C-alpha cells in the first residue's frame, strides 16, 4: 500500500509541476523562474503539511507518504535546480547562479517556516 501511495502522489506532483511550469510560469534565458517558483511553493506546502501533521499525528504515516514523499517529491525539482545552476555557471552567469542557489535555499527554508507558522496557528488545538 505504501508504494501505491507514493506512486499516486508522485504522479500527481509530477503532472502538477509540468502544468505549472509549462503553462503559468515561463523561465527566461537568464533565470529559471519556473523551477525557482515551484521549489519555493513546494517548501511552503511542506511547511503547511508539517503544521497539520503536528496537530493531527494520524497524518504522519500514510498521508506523509502520499503528500510529502509522493506529491511534493514529484512536484519539487531539486535535480532540475542542480542542472540549471550548473548551466548558469557553465555559461559564465556566476552571479545569476549564486543568486539562484542562495535565494532558492534561503527563501525555501523561510517559506517552509512561514507555512508552518501560519497553519499551526490556524488549526484547532489537539485535545
Amino acid at each position: 500500500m505504501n508504494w501505491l501511495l507514493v506512486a499516486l502522489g508522485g504522479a500527481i506532483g509530477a503532472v502538477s509541476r509540468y502544468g505549472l511550469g509549462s503553462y503559468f510560469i515561463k523561465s527566461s534565458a537568464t533565470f529559471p523562474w519556473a523551477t525557482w517558483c515551484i521549489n519555493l511553493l513546494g517548501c511552503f506546502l511542506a511547511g503547511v503539511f508539517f503544521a497539520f501533521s503536528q496537530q493531527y499525528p494520524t497524518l504522519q504515516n500514510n498521508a506523509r507518504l502520499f503528500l510529502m514523499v509522493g506529491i511534493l517529491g514529484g512536484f519539487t525539482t531539486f535535480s532540475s535546480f542542480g542542472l540549471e545552476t550548473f548551466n548558469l555557471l557553465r555559461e559564465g552567469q556566476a552571479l545569476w547562479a549564486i543568486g539562484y542557489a542562495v535565494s532558492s535555499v534561503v527563501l525555501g527554508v523561510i517559506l517552509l517556516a512561514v507555512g508552518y507558522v501560519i497553519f499551526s496557528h490556524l488549526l484547532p488545538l489537539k485535545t
Side-chain angles (χ1 to χ4, degrees), residues 45-61:
L45 294 174
V48 169
F49 175 73
F50 185 65
F52 272 95
S53 71
Q54 297 301 295
Q55 291 293 332
Y56 305 101
T58 56
L59 292 178
Q60 292 180 359
N61 296 321

Side-chain angles (χ1 to χ4, degrees), residues 53-86:
S53 71
Q54 297 301 295
Q55 291 293 332
Y56 305 101
T58 56
L59 292 178
Q60 292 180 359
N61 296 321
N62 290 342
R64 184 188 68 78
L65 288 174
F66 178 69
L67 294 169
M68 294 291 285
V69 178
I71 291 178
L72 291 180
F75 183 68
T76 58
T77 55
F78 195 74
S79 58
S80 295
F81 162 76
L83 177 63
E84 289 166 345
T85 303
F86 174 75

Side-chain angles (χ1 to χ4, degrees), residues 27-40:
S27 290
S28 69
T30 58
F31 195 79
W33 291 108
T35 302
W36 188 77
C37 289
I38 288 166
N39 284 343
L40 294 178

